[in-house]
Amino acid sequence: MSSSPPPPPSGEPLARLRRQVSELHQELVRYQLVVWTAGNVSARVPGSDHFVIKPSGVGYDALTEHDMVVCDLQGRVVEGELAPSSDTAAHAYVYRHMPEVGGVVHTHSTYACAWAVRGEPVPCVLTAMADEFGAEIPVGPFALIGDDSIGRGIVETLRGHRSPAVLMQNHGVFTVGKDARAAVKAAVMCEDVARTVHISRQLGAPLPIPAADVDRLYDRYQNVYGQQPATPAPAPEGTRPADRGVTA
């Protein structure tokens, strides 16, 4: 019986996802979350047991959609000419054990890593943190790269936690999202709040936000904030169904 990984879906949807993942790496550079070749973005292929990830050791300025590597959920390469990221096993573990996750990001952003090397969560003392994370940004266990140990730490830490970000001790930031773009946003926000809270502690003790208010802020941002689908205006009384655009 063959143990070779199944082929990924082909066609424009996969090509579009490879393009998106390639382009999202430039957001990591834009927001100064990575240096040299460190860090990576991946995205689950919808309707498939595959994901797209950055190749290992390739500079951001040289990345193209054609360099992206497609792997199965065991981390085995199924499409691509380059070796995948050294964090592939961690990403694969997250996708296997968190089916709601559609994107994973890893960065070594400065301020968030400063909290990680202290093994200290970033406390939820900003309304922007309550909005995006709904709680403190937790710390995951120290784990060596090379197998799925980091992935296990990510999953164990984020299960039952509202935060889409985890600070892996002595390592860096991993974020998850419904898709790769959401995971990148979480990485950007993680560094922003880590910086602000760090600076605030140089001035004194940050003031806590009551837990009930954190809950309210999180609910509003996740469910109300932004553009909502327009509600059709009620039809004038006495209007026939056909006049309202309803057909038999």
Side-chain angles (χ1 to χ4, degrees), residues 47 53 57 78 87-88 100 103 123 126 133 138 140 161 188-189 198 201 213 238:
I53 194 167
V78 297
D87 291 303
T88 295
E100 73 278 13
L126 289 163
F133 303 98
H161 203 292
V188 172
M189 293 296 294
H198 171 80
R201 292 200 345 174
D213 289 331

Side-chain angles (χ1 to χ4, degrees), residues 77-128:
V77 174
V78 297
E79 186 176 299
E81 297 179 2
L82 301 174
S85 166
S86 55
D87 291 303
T88 295
H91 289 242
Y93 190 92
V94 172
Y95 288 126
R96 288 200 307 274
H97 292 86
M98 300 180 77
E100 73 278 13
V101 169
V104 180
V105 170
H106 174 44
T107 76
H108 294 271
S109 58
T110 303
Y111 283 88
C113 281
W115 290 85
V117 298
R118 291 198 303 265
E120 184 178 357
V122 183
C124 186
V125 293
L126 289 163
T127 58

Side-chain angles (χ1 to χ4, degrees), residues 49-65:
D49 290 335
H50 298 86
F51 63 98
V52 176
I53 194 167
K54 172 185 178 288
S56 178
V58 178
Y60 286 89
D61 57 349
L63 278 182
T64 72
E65 61 190 272

